[in-house]
Amino acid sequence: MAKVSIAIPAYNGEAGVARLLRSVRQQQYKDYEVVITDDSDDDRIGRLIEGQSWARYYKNKERLGPTGNWNEAMRRCRGEYIKIMHHDDWFADADSLGRFVRLMEGNPDADMVFCGTRQVGEKESYERSISLQEAEFIRQDYRNLYLGNTIGAPSAVMHRRQAGRYDEALTWLVDMEFYMGILKRNPHFAYTKEALVCIGVSGGQLTESCIGNREINLFEYGYIYQKYGLGEGKQYRKKLVHILADFGAGYGEAAKWGIGKGEYTAAMAAKLADKVKWKLQHGW
């Protein structure tokens, strides 16, 4: 049995999958298996690996959707460690996988490790990684991830096979909630600021379609708020109220998540005051 399962939940993106597979084959660390679950509209991705014994390919009988396909890929993994890689992403260099494994094995008390990333767009690229202060903030309390996903995309993460599954009620905040679930069970983690993975950035990604979606944001922030009992923390409550106000939620929508009319009215008034102040400062 391979030590690492590289799970690739594919959906169309044939060129991206081909680039990812090339980066996998270039890895110096060889104790891995490749598992591809395909949610695509056609069989082009399947044709990429015809006759390739080093990859196991599964065409989903019915389309599972993004989160369901992520879980299906992990369900079929046999390795001790799971390294999920989305088809937009690829390993930054030939030692990326090896460094992930060394990071995991050097931290046996951790169920999850992660890295910095190189965000690669059509016109520019840049590197991002968690800061020391942000990492300590999560170490203090895993729930602080609710204030912002400072870990990054799933392709930046490796975890033990028993770490859990993605919550299929979610689409947008699914990775953040997954990390919260892992750290709730085991608060230990390790990371490197090195960019071991390249993240392909384009306008057609799931992230772009969700970031401004009112319905998705209101539901998912509220859902996680309730699932993890965040109402007791003022900072988490403030975050939810901020999201509700940003998307113009009504009093009934706020009440659904336990936010009272008075509290919400005060938040809306503060938001309006900030907007007026900004306009005055910028000469509007």
Side-chain angles (χ1 to χ4, degrees), residues 60-71:
N60 298 333
K61 294 180 180 179
E62 297 180 355
R63 185 156 185 258
L64 301 177
T67 311
N69 198 26
W70 300 5
N71 282 332

Side-chain angles (χ1 to χ4, degrees), residues 62-255:
E62 297 180 355
R63 185 156 185 258
L64 301 177
T67 311
N69 198 26
W70 300 5
N71 282 332
E72 179 66 9
M74 293 199 303
R75 185 182 71 81
R76 293 184 178 276
C77 290
R78 301 168 182 166
E80 181 180 348
Y81 307 145
I82 293 180
K83 180 70 197 78
I84 198 164
M85 292 292 290
H86 290 309
H87 66 244
D88 300 294
D89 310 329
W90 64 99
F91 289 112
D93 61 54
D95 194 33
S96 290
L97 186 59
R99 278 180 280 178
F100 267 113
V101 173
R102 293 194 292 274
L103 187 60
M104 184 71 85
E105 295 190 337
N107 294 275
D109 58 340
D111 285 340
M112 176 177 73
V113 300
F114 56 94
C115 69
T117 58
R118 184 175 302 124
Q119 311 291 120
V120 181
E122 295 177 359
K123 297 182 179 179
E124 60 181 1
S125 64
Y126 61 93
E127 292 190 3
R128 70 172 297 277
S129 65
I130 194 170
S131 70
L132 177 62
Q133 293 79 9
E134 289 167 338
E136 289 306 309
F137 196 46
I138 301 171
R139 289 192 201 279
Q140 291 169 12
D141 192 330
Y142 76 91
R143 297 176 301 173
N144 288 333
L145 272 172
Y146 184 74
L147 304 177
N149 177 10
T150 49
I151 289 177
S155 294
V157 174
M158 175 183 278
H159 59 83
R160 300 187 190 277
R161 187 160 53 128
Q162 69 272 20
R165 292 170 60 85
Y166 292 96
D167 189 330
E168 295 186 23
L170 301 172
T171 303
W172 164 226
L173 303 177
V174 61
D175 49 353
M176 180 181 81
E177 190 281 330
F178 181 66
Y179 309 150
M180 289 175 70
I182 292 175
L183 296 177
K184 180 181 180 180
R185 294 184 293 272
N186 177 3
H188 300 289
F189 64 87
Y191 69 95
T192 175
K193 296 173 74 69
E194 293 179 278
L196 304 184
V197 169
C198 294
I199 305 292
V201 180
S202 66
Q205 291 177 308
L206 181 64
T207 297
E208 296 299 319
S209 65
C210 293
I211 193 168
N213 187 296
R214 181 183 188 276
E215 181 180 356
I216 287 176
N217 276 269
L218 293 184
F219 169 73
E220 297 198 4
Y221 274 103
Y223 177 88
I224 294 173
Y225 180 82
Q226 283 194 339
K227 181 174 181 176
Y228 288 90
L230 301 181
E232 64 188 51
K234 291 183 179 179
Q235 66 273 41
Y236 314 129
R237 192 175 186 88
K238 183 178 179 181
K239 172 72 174 186
L240 178 60
V241 170
H242 179 78
I243 294 294
L244 292 166
D246 271 356
F247 285 94
Y251 294 125
E253 291 174 298

